Amino acid sequence: MNFSLSILFLILSSLTFAAFCATPQRPVDVPFGRNYVPTWAFDHIKSFNGGSEIQLLLDEYTGTGFQSKGSYLFGHFSMNIKMVPGDSAGTVTAFYLSSQNEEHDEIDFEFLGNRTGQPYILQTNVFTGGQGDREQRIYLWFDPTKAYHRYSVLWNTYQIVFLVDNIPIRVFKNNKDLGVKFPFNQAMKVYNSLWNADDWATRGGLEKTDWSKAPFIAGYKSFHIDGCEASVNAKFCGTQGKRWWDQPEFRDLDAAQWRRLKWVRRKYTIYNYCTDRKRLPQIPPECTRDRDI
């Protein structure tokens, strides 16, 4: 009888662990130079506090950006960002992962600027095998220009999860069995940039960038990368199963995370490609499994 109770306790403990331990590990704040290098317009990147914080500047001449030193296949990537304040119409602040091949994979956070008094729009997208057109757009439940907030991507062989302050705002499952490609064999670098996109970014391009407000400034800090560096051996990254984000509890969202995601969809979603019947008369196969319809 005691043996049976012990077995039951172990089973219940295991289920409890799986149900409540799907929150990503706490990111490690490191200086910019640990994981990143400037990509272009070096004079438009300003460093502060020993490299623990940087600012990207956009003016009428150029934007700027930076990229990770390594390329990664799966992991947890996050950035604390403070968006351009005031009239930021036409600007895009981006945090994304991308491979370099023609049929590239990409995981996008894009923050679309606004006219003063209007809310920022966060657009996410997923490219697999060079195919994108999976945009979702939400309003944030806070003003992203007032303070730093953490934006994260959890990527493993089972799912991609977009998180804002550790709240899931989107999940893209591995739906290969449905004929949907999934990023699993192309290493990606991590990119961040601030650039002008007034041909589409704000109200579909109706609102143009007001260069009298330049320079536009976005702040970045906490340059966290916890991924399998695939620059040398991508096959190892795809099969190791030894990292925390490879474990069974990260194959799906837990119940609390699904409730939070439902809350975001109900209150803050303003566009979802899964429900756009004009653009996509047939529901994309991944949308049902991802609970997006």
Side-chain angles (χ1 to χ4, degrees):
M1 186 69 175
N2 289 339
F3 177 78
S4 298
L5 287 173
S6 297
I7 294 296
L8 179 60
F9 176 79
L10 288 173
I11 292 173
L12 290 174
S13 298
S14 174
L15 291 174
T16 301
F17 180 86
F20 294 101
C21 292
T23 300
Q25 288 189 3
R26 184 180 179 87
V28 178
D29 295 344
V30 298
F32 173 79
R34 175 81 60 86
N35 292 324
Y36 288 96
V37 292
T39 309
W40 47 292
F42 293 9
D43 62 334
H44 282 54
I45 300 180
K46 307 298 182 184
S47 179
F48 302 90
N49 302 321
S52 63
E53 180 179 359
I54 67 166
Q55 290 181 346
L56 302 188
L57 281 67
L58 166 67
D59 57 28
E60 60 266 46
Y61 303 105
T62 185
T64 189
F66 59 95
Q67 69 181 43
S68 61
K69 294 179 179 178
S71 298
Y72 302 90
L73 192 65
F74 311 121
H76 183 238
F77 312 88
S78 75
M79 192 71 59
N80 281 16
I81 311 175
K82 184 162 60 174
M83 301 302 159
V84 175
D87 186 345
S88 58
T91 71
V92 174
T93 305
F95 165 42
Y96 63 102
L97 289 79
S98 181
S99 66
Q100 301 305 303
N101 300 333
E102 183 176 343
E103 293 189 358
H104 74 288
D105 297 329
E106 191 169 305
I107 303 168
D108 294 339
F109 277 103
E110 293 179 309
F111 302 88
L112 312 184
N114 58 17
R115 283 268 103 94
T116 302
Q118 298 172 343
Y120 255 82
I121 292 174
L122 168 53
Q123 174 173 285
T124 59
N125 202 355
V126 178
F127 286 75
T128 59
Q131 177 187 345
D133 298 327
R134 298 187 178 100
E135 297 91 346
Q136 294 185 8
R137 291 184 173 189
I138 68 169
Y139 289 134
L140 295 164
W141 50 94
F142 53 83
D143 184 343
T145 72
K146 298 297 184 183
Y148 281 96
H149 291 267
R150 188 178 297 278
Y151 306 93
S152 308
V153 171
L154 174 68
W155 170 36
N156 57 34
T157 56
Y158 301 96
Q159 62 178 352
I160 297 166
V161 184
F162 296 79
L163 303 110
V164 175
D165 291 336
N166 234 23
I167 295 175
I169 64 163
R170 181 175 184 177
V171 61
F172 186 82
K173 306 289 288 181
N174 186 338
N175 295 296
K176 286 183 63 181
D177 59 317
L178 302 179
V180 180
K181 291 182 179 180
F182 186 83
F184 76 96
N185 63 353
Q186 296 191 91
M188 300 197 224
K189 285 186 178 291
V190 189
Y191 297 89
N192 293 266
S193 58
L194 175 60
W195 52 290
N196 179 47
D198 66 2
D199 57 331
W200 66 271
T202 308
R203 294 186 60 213
L206 295 177
E207 303 282 1
K208 300 301 182 181
T209 305
D210 182 354
W211 294 114
S212 71
K213 303 294 195 301
F216 302 98
I217 300 173
Y220 287 78
K221 65 180 182 179
S222 181
F223 305 95
H224 168 79
I225 292 178
D226 185 3
C228 185
E229 189 163 355
S231 306
V232 178
N233 193 342
K235 186 176 181 180
F236 169 75
C237 292
T239 59
Q240 61 173 334
K242 296 180 180 178
R243 304 294 187 93
W244 64 266
W245 32 260
D246 282 333
Q247 303 310 303
E249 59 266 31
F250 295 98
R251 295 179 182 180
D252 198 357
L253 302 185
D254 63 27
Q257 288 175 320
W258 277 115
R259 286 195 296 271
R260 287 184 169 185
L261 178 57
K262 185 177 180 181
W263 170 75
V264 171
R265 288 170 172 166
R266 183 180 68 253
K267 294 197 67 173
Y268 299 103
T269 297
I270 57 175
Y271 177 80
N272 184 350
Y273 78 107
C274 287
T275 58
D276 189 343
R277 295 284 73 82
K278 289 183 178 179
R279 179 178 164 198
L280 301 170
Q282 190 170 11
I283 297 174
E286 70 271 15
C287 293
T288 300
R289 184 172 292 171
D290 295 349
R291 307 187 194 180
D292 273 322
I293 55 174

